Amino acid sequence: MRSTILATAAALLAMAGTAAADTIRVGMSGGYFPFTFTRADELQGFEVDFLRAVAEETGDEVEFVTMSFSGLIGALEAGRIDTVANQITITPEREARFAFTQPYVYDGAQVVVRQGNETEITGPEDLRGRSVAVNLGSNYEQLLRELPYADEIDIRTYESNIEQDTALGRVDAFVMDRVSTSQVIEQSRLPLVQAGAPFSEIQNALPFRNDEAGQALRDRVDAAITTLKENGTLAEISQRWLGDDVTAPAEGADAAPAE
Amino acid sequence: MSCEIDIRGLTKRFGANTVLDGIDLCLQPGERVAIIGPSGTGKSTLLRCLNFLDRPDAGVLKLGDLTVDAAKASRAQILALRRRTAFVFQNYGLFANKTARQNLTEGLTVVRGWSAARAEARADEILAQIGLADRGDSYPASLSGGQQQRVGIGRAMALDADLMLLDEPTSALDPEWVGEVLDLIRRIADGRQTMLIVTHEMQFAREIADRIVFMEGGRIVEEGPPAQIFGDPRDARTRAFLRRVG
Amino acid sequence: MRPLDLGYMAELAPVIAGYVPLTLMMAVIAMIAALVLAALLAIVRVLRVPVLDRLVAVFISFFRGTPLLVQLFLFYFGLPQVVPPMTGIDGVTAAIIGLTLHFSAYMAESIRGAILGVDRSQWEAAQSIGMTQGQLLRRIVLPQATRTAAPTLMNYFIDMIKSTSLAFTLGVTEMMGAAQKEAAGSFMYLEAFLVVALIYWAIVETLSVGQRRLEARLGRAVAR
């Protein structure tokens, strides 16, 4: 085992010297419907199809590495994966650390409540005095904390299963991107409804390590995304999984485009 | 007169407390010496120092052609010394994970490098001598106190040592078992095994020993033949001790 | 309340069960390595080997004093930032190493206790017949200490099997990770986690039966 470890280490060191990686290692949680999940042990979803299409464009192999969401960013920083395909939202903090591609999903933050509560909670302003679940390490926690009345919200971070806990009534609501909440409500048997309109425009993109090799790979992947947008492949993947094209900025959206 | 076993200036301290204060003792081949004296005067420590269960601080030990300077004894010397001595413990010290027979063979096969067959033959011989021929396969936990101590003595016998050290071999026994153990030691003594025995059984010491050593305060106060020590002790401390133990 | 979807559970069970070999492989390798390491650590402690004794004390204190998850993250994500070649250690290897270090610290303490539980007079008896330190440990002390420590060590093994579920945080899809991903697609959390729980339970129950038999056999050797 020791020699394997050493050999792998040597191979990786050698690889780090060259700018191009033959295999793009993509980290994802595997637990985020309909972007990444398994059925009968087969990994699938929007992100999976998207990254396969990207790899086909760049001519690289793609290797999916699934791990708990909270480990993904650490794995990226530690060089164990090359990027994270898990609806990673661009934030100023993350932009300072990582080299992002152009956004490939434009979305909004959505409040979801248990059926029957939608008359009481009709949007983010009704979250005062309520308990709200968000995924640990996601940027929805940040979005909630930026609300002027953030200190009146009982924000709870979860490793997984926030939909379930909202349906069970353990928390009053959860906040996630609008697109996946639609899918969750449609596909699951859980008694959940969207409460009001999305409250913040968000853009999701692929982060890479901010070093020479990472930026080079980012550039290659970014060019591939441009192609996939132009030839309609990305829109088609979006329609297939989300029943809607969320890969272009919404009409009249005033969000600044990503760097 | 040459000594088979020669102890010179043996000294042992525990911290500031000097437990053995320059012990000199000489044993002839086949000589049986009993050490008596009040509790806490270093009798057991003397035995334990002789095979380095307690490490002496100073002194020279000579066993036949083996000479060990206690202050700078090497590991090899300590092992060599232990291989020429056999120790009988107050609390038997039997290996709980070994049968009676294995307790006897362990030293022969592991330490002396005997074959298993040879060691077992020897063990069975000894089991017969100690009256436990039918208990060879028993584990110590299933033996009585007297039987356990007989195995402990048998283990020492099996080693065929130049010097057998017996540290109060009957003082942990229920009274009902003392007799059988003393009988066994008496038989060994009759075989002229060189031995050094620490005991509180005065009558027994008188009976089996060629020489009695009286110790107090980490020193040998007086030594001599049993008849003289018990019949005509010269030192006041010896007389006081013998009066106390009746 | 909806009824339990037994059909889905039946479909899912073989999928999750497919990860049992991985779970057992990690646990068994880590257990063997941890036993060896723990015995060495315990011996260093018992014999009070100069210098090493202090280092081992710190090692044990650290690995008992911090959560396994923290240790795994430190080892897998943290250290590679300062020691880049460590990136070459894959998740399975890292999980095995992490489990080994963590559990060896606990096991060393129980083995140490068991060693000290062997009557002092047996040590002295073995020394007195001229056994070396190694011989007396191997032939007299460790066999008895192992017997005393066996039930505790078995419990650590069971604990270790269950702790392999943390490997998913290192990118190793094992039973729990597989169940989480399946549940994400089906939203049948109850069924998915119930399947995982039942499989873990079955493994541990099987081991417990073996444990009872083993203890009965070890116990016979010293039975009255």
Side-chain angles (χ1 to χ4, degrees), chain A residues 63-105:
Chain A
E63 181 199 333
F64 294 108
V65 180
T66 52
M67 63 175 74
S68 300
F69 186 80
S70 53
L72 287 169
I73 296 293
L76 178 59
E77 297 222 36
R80 296 187 174 279
I81 50 179
D82 300 312
T83 187
V84 177
N86 213 93
Q87 293 297 294
I88 299 297
T89 299
I90 303 173
T91 63
E93 294 83 8
R94 287 177 181 159
E95 275 201 296
R97 297 196 74 134
F98 299 108
F100 274 97
T101 61
Q102 61 186 294
Y104 62 95
V105 164

Side-chain angles (χ1 to χ4, degrees), chain A residues 1 4-5 8-9 12-13 25 28-33 36-43 65-72 74-80 97 159-164 183-185 187-190, chain C residues 2-3 5 8 12 15 19 29 73 75-78 80-81 84-91 93-94 96-97 166-173 177-191 193:
Chain A
M1 179 169 293
T4 326
I5 293 169
T8 320
L12 280 163
L13 280 177
R25 294 166 303 167
M28 47 176 59
S29 70
Y32 193 20
F33 185 85
T36 162
F37 62 98
T38 66
R39 253 185 205 145
D41 219 14
E42 198 196 324
L43 191 63
V65 180
T66 52
M67 63 175 74
S68 300
F69 186 80
S70 53
L72 287 169
L76 178 59
E77 297 222 36
R80 296 187 174 279
R97 297 196 74 134
E159 185 71 33
S160 58
N161 310 341
I162 60 177
E163 310 90 339
Q164 175 78 351
Q183 291 298 312
V184 166
I185 291 166
Q187 303 274 331
S188 74
R189 302 190 221 167
L190 301 172
Chain C
R2 68 179 177 81
D5 190 336
Y8 177 69
L12 196 56
V15 174
Y19 290 93
I29 294 179
F73 271 37
F75 189 72
Y76 191 70
F77 301 122
Q81 291 193 322
M86 281 191 65
T87 313
I89 300 172
D90 63 38
T93 312
I96 290 173
I97 295 173
L166 290 176
F168 188 48
T169 56
L170 308 189
V172 180
T173 299
Q180 281 191 27
K181 291 192 285 184
E182 294 289 336
S186 66
F187 294 95
M188 294 202 231
Y189 297 100
L190 177 61
E191 284 83 352
F193 295 143

